Amino acid sequence: MANKIPRVPVREQDPKVRATNFEEVCYGYNTEEATLEASRCLHCKNPRCVAACPVGIRIPDFIGALHAGEFRQAADIIAEDSSLPSICGRVCPQESQCEGSCILGIKGDPVAIGKLERFVGDWKLEHGASAAPQTAPRNGHKVAVIGSGPAGLACASDLAKMGYQVKIFEALHKVGGVLVYGIPEFRLPKERIVAREIAEVEKLGVEIETDVIVGRTVTIDSLLDEEGYAAVFIGSGAGLPRFMGIPGENLNGVVSANEFLTRANLMHAYDEQYDTPIYVGKRVVVVGGGNVAMDAVRTARRLGAEATIVYRRSEKELPARAEEVHHAKEEGICFRMLTNPTEVLGDERGWVRGMRCVEMELGEPDESGRRSPVVKAGSEFDIACDVAIMALGTSPNPLLAATTAGLETNRRGCITADERGATSREGVFAGGDAVTGAATVILAMGAGRTAARAIDEYIKKH
Ligand code: FAD
Ligand code: SF4
């Protein structure tokens, strides 16, 4: 299947300029560009793009409405399945989901579904949602949601639409989970996009209380037994960083990507008006190849460091979104593929001075299907650096499991839940990174929505 109209390119900030600022990299489509791109969709009878979308957005229908200039209708179609289109349009790994399955991608470029979703989402933020959000009358039942990331927000939105009185408890002082503390401003603007999309959720009647650590300030048991909540949804994410366990990881200048990005994003360390300390030195090495690694390395670059990615597999296996890898390269990030650290080297004052690494080659596929890296004999070498950032993945914080009777976790510390989000504890449901370990925004949203339906059924039965 081919299309005579080539994919409409999207305007972006010049790489040399943006490598020195934190403003958004991608400008998105204007109306003319979005309309032209929308005209490329073939409106397939069995749209593969919809089947590949974890929340099943009616993609050809919203694209059709956009093409007809019916932007509000397009927004309403997306809203049936997603409450965060401006966010998902910016951060979803479209190349392995909707766009990866678009029929036009077989012989050419797929429809730019993500950029079209972003256009519609931003249009809605600009022009306001439909008159009043459709919510059922209040049914008198209260549901507590733990965590205000995509899983918690999606679950809360759906329950509020069904008529439940929903309250989100968030440990941090800001709402949004990774969307505010992890993903940087240059990829996902906080005030212009995240805060406004969250405001749409609040318009549904969802109450949000920040600075409440469930497991400390209150417990799941007290919410259920004393505070009258009929059910609880856990969307507490996976915020606990992993380290490699190699010598030198306790040196000054070794930091987890989570801490580095939280300082930069949530605590505004990049902004001179804030006095949050952040140290990058002259040379930064980031270990890892996912979105977190890309965000950390590009943040370090913007803070003035020479920044390098060290990843033990090859470029083909990089788990980060293709767009982020492309942008990182344009911004002058150095990529050292098939390289693995064995030791962080320190100076006499206990600060990082370098990283000892070995070269790797790819062997047989492991259980994930990816070829496992094996050390090349005699390949040891050193890279000079002042800071080492570890972006090796995260796991859920054990606090909730430790403070909730009967809540089981698996060997990776993730909360055990069935496919509908029901945990081992009656009335307690869970979804998102807290269940799967670090994954994606849209999967977390999908899990939140599935759990909302299961919670509704559970409460109706009891
Ligand atoms: P989170 O977003 O982690 O939210 C959990 C919330 O729960 C947090 O706000 C936390 O403070 C709160 N919480 C935790 N414990 C408690 C408690 N005891 N009491 C009260 N509140 C609590 N995904 C993509 O799809 N595309 C990307 O480009 C992408 N980039 C990423 C970049 C970074 C730097 C990171 C860290 C992740 C990225 N991800 C990306 C992954 C994605 O952000 C997560 O999969 C998603 O946010 C998970 O959503 P969640 O709601 O399960 O958890
Ligand atoms: Fe349109 Fe591609 Fe989806 Fe077909 S698969 S409906 S062309 S976006």
Side-chain angles (χ1 to χ4, degrees), residues 4 64 78 91 96 126 171 207 222 234 243 303 306 369 403 435:
K4 286 191 192 106
I78 297 177
V91 305
S96 56
E126 207 54 41
E207 196 188 335
S222 67
I234 303 174
F243 286 87
L303 292 169
E306 236 176 66
T403 55
V435 169

Side-chain angles (χ1 to χ4, degrees), residues 82-226:
S82 167
S83 39
L84 310 171
S86 284
I87 293 170
C88 290
R90 282 170 170 81
V91 305
C92 265
Q94 288 97 5
E95 72 271 17
S96 56
Q97 297 177 347
C98 53
E99 292 183 25
S101 293
C102 170
I103 192 123
L104 288 183
I106 296 174
K107 283 199 181 154
D109 286 328
V111 175
I113 302 168
K115 297 288 181 283
L116 294 178
E117 182 186 21
R118 168 190 164 135
F119 173 84
V120 173
D122 287 6
W123 184 92
K124 183 172 163 184
L125 291 180
E126 207 54 41
H127 295 83
S130 305
Q134 293 292 309
T135 52
R138 284 283 166 96
N139 60 23
H141 295 292
K142 294 204 300 180
V143 179
V145 170
I146 304 170
S148 64
L153 290 170
C155 182
S157 299
D158 279 11
L159 286 168
K161 285 183 199 159
M162 293 173 200
Y164 290 94
Q165 188 184 332
V166 187
K167 183 161 175 181
I168 299 181
F169 296 95
E170 168 55 53
L172 296 174
H173 62 279
K174 272 216 161 166
V175 181
V178 169
L179 306 176
V180 289
Y181 81 74
I183 303 180
E185 181 75 18
F186 57 81
R187 230 163 37 94
L188 186 61
K190 307 299 160 225
E191 292 309 317
R192 187 162 56 83
I193 303 298
V194 182
R196 285 163 78 190
E197 217 145 67
I198 289 170
E200 294 295 317
V201 174
E202 286 180 285
K203 277 189 201 157
L204 298 168
V206 173
E207 196 188 335
I208 307 180
E209 192 177 341
T210 52
D211 298 312
V212 181
I213 302 178
V214 179
R216 288 273 179 270
T217 329
V218 288
T219 61
I220 290 182
D221 293 335
S222 67
L223 291 172
L224 287 169
D225 301 339
E226 294 158 28

Side-chain angles (χ1 to χ4, degrees), residues 40-50 59-61 63 98 101-105 110-113:
R40 298 180 65 230
C41 175
L42 303 177
H43 298 278
C44 309
K45 266 210 184 111
N46 294 310
R48 296 155 41 128
C49 54
V50 178
I59 292 167
D61 294 347
I63 292 180
C98 53
S101 293
C102 170
I103 192 123
L104 288 183
V111 175
I113 302 168

